[in-house]
Amino acid sequence: MHWADVIAKDIAERAETPLIATGISPTGIIHVGSLREAITGESIRSAVESLGKDVKLIYLIDSFDPLRRRYDFLPPEYEKYVGMPICRIPCPCGKHRNYAHHFVQPFLDAVDSLGVHCEIIWTSDLYAQGKFAECIDITFKKRQEIINILHEVSGKEPNPNYAPYEPLCEKCGRYTKPIFDTYKFPYVEYDCPCGHHGKADVRKDDGKLTWRLEWPAKWKIFGTNAEPFGKDHAAAGGSYDTGKRIAPEIFGVEPPFPVPYEFVQLKGVGQMHKSLGCSVTGLDAIRMTPPEVLNYLFLRVPTNRAIDYDSGMGLLDIADEYDRMELAFFTKEFTEAE
Ligand SMILES: [Zn+2]
Ligand SMILES: [Zn+2]
């Protein structure tokens, strides 16, 4: 049995209309490794579908995430955008709607050509539509319990000033900290380091939850049943560990079936990360590799195995192996082990 069928069987038994979520934070150049997440999500979706279930795959683009620093591939004038949401930063080439679109569009094109059937959802739209309002309200009311969970799971000292929600300063456009005791639904006040005193409405895109809270809040909003994610989130004390306690104890929902996946290494370069400019992007991978071969490369090994992506001779070997497998499949010579 293929690993995707094993996961699909578990999900199908627990949910009538299963939902699989996957996502990306397009704060920089997106690499071929992120395609693994999309392909993993799609393989589970199609496996659940083949069990006769009405299943949906959503792809969340975290367009409300802040730019954390000016990466080397960004021009010096981007220094002034650090701390702002990437959907409100201009696109570096001038051809896209904003920074988030600039970096995610080539990737979405790649995902599309791989035959991934997903609904694209922009996290910034969810905030603007007030979808997070209920969860944000809960985080103000249960802030002490959240601090305790983060302390217990991560083993770090409890931080009494921890802010699960960060208002966006209406003057300088950067995320800042709320003044907790001014909170009264739907407003919270803030004093920004820029000198501005303002008020944020949690029903609008006036601020966002931090990642550790935003992730389980999405599980509640969508009723997520399964989610593939990079192994960095799966580390002990990491955001899945805290999320799986925050989901039931703070938001009253069950966490999704976790599908952590290993990273994709570029042969001779090492692990790919979006803060590095010099790597193979999702689109480069598509240009160099036929979609069916790329799908095969990602799906032939379990998700917990690392993949060496070799854009040179190794890729030709994979293409040959794919051709042999395809031939074996159609001549009914393949065995379960293959
Ligand atoms: Zn652009
Ligand atoms: Zn400010």
Side-chain angles (χ1 to χ4, degrees), residues 169 172 192 194:
C169 174
C172 71
C192 182
C194 79

Side-chain angles (χ1 to χ4, degrees), residues 91-96 98 102:
C91 129
C93 79
K95 291 181 190 144
H96 300 88
N98 56 47
H102 173 88

Side-chain angles (χ1 to χ4, degrees), residues 312-333:
M313 290 305 285
L315 204 51
L316 295 176
D317 292 342
I318 287 286
D320 279 350
E321 187 182 321
Y322 171 78
D323 285 343
R324 281 198 307 277
M325 287 290 288
E326 193 183 33
L327 189 68
F329 181 81
F330 287 111
T331 54
K332 302 261 183 282
E333 280 171 9

Side-chain angles (χ1 to χ4, degrees), residues 108-160:
L108 292 180
D109 293 343
V111 164
D112 192 47
S113 69
L114 283 165
V116 175
H117 299 89
C118 61
E119 182 188 336
I120 307 287
I121 295 169
W122 300 80
T123 305
S124 50
D125 289 344
L126 296 176
Y127 279 101
Q129 293 157 0
K131 296 272 165 57
F132 283 102
E134 186 192 348
C135 287
I136 296 169
D137 182 53
I138 294 171
T139 64
F140 275 105
K141 289 170 178 157
K142 297 187 176 175
R143 201 171 67 87
Q144 195 50 53
E145 289 164 73
I146 292 166
I147 291 169
N148 293 344
I149 291 172
L150 295 180
H151 162 62
E152 285 166 28
V153 177
S154 73
K156 289 184 191 145
E157 278 302 300
N159 174 8

Side-chain angles (χ1 to χ4, degrees), residues 261-310:
Y261 63 88
E262 263 288 340
F263 292 127
V264 178
Q265 317 242 2
L266 186 64
K267 210 153 198 176
V269 177
Q271 190 185 306
M272 284 186 252
H273 194 271
K274 62 185 162 221
S275 63
L276 298 170
C278 59
S279 248
V280 177
T281 67
L283 199 61
D284 291 336
I286 281 291
R287 286 202 196 99
M288 291 187 286
T289 323
E292 63 275 19
V293 174
L294 207 55
N295 270 311
Y296 175 68
L297 172 71
F298 286 120
L299 296 176
R300 72 194 178 116
V301 295
T303 55
N304 60 3
R305 285 246 315 264
I307 294 174
D308 282 318
Y309 181 81
D310 181 348

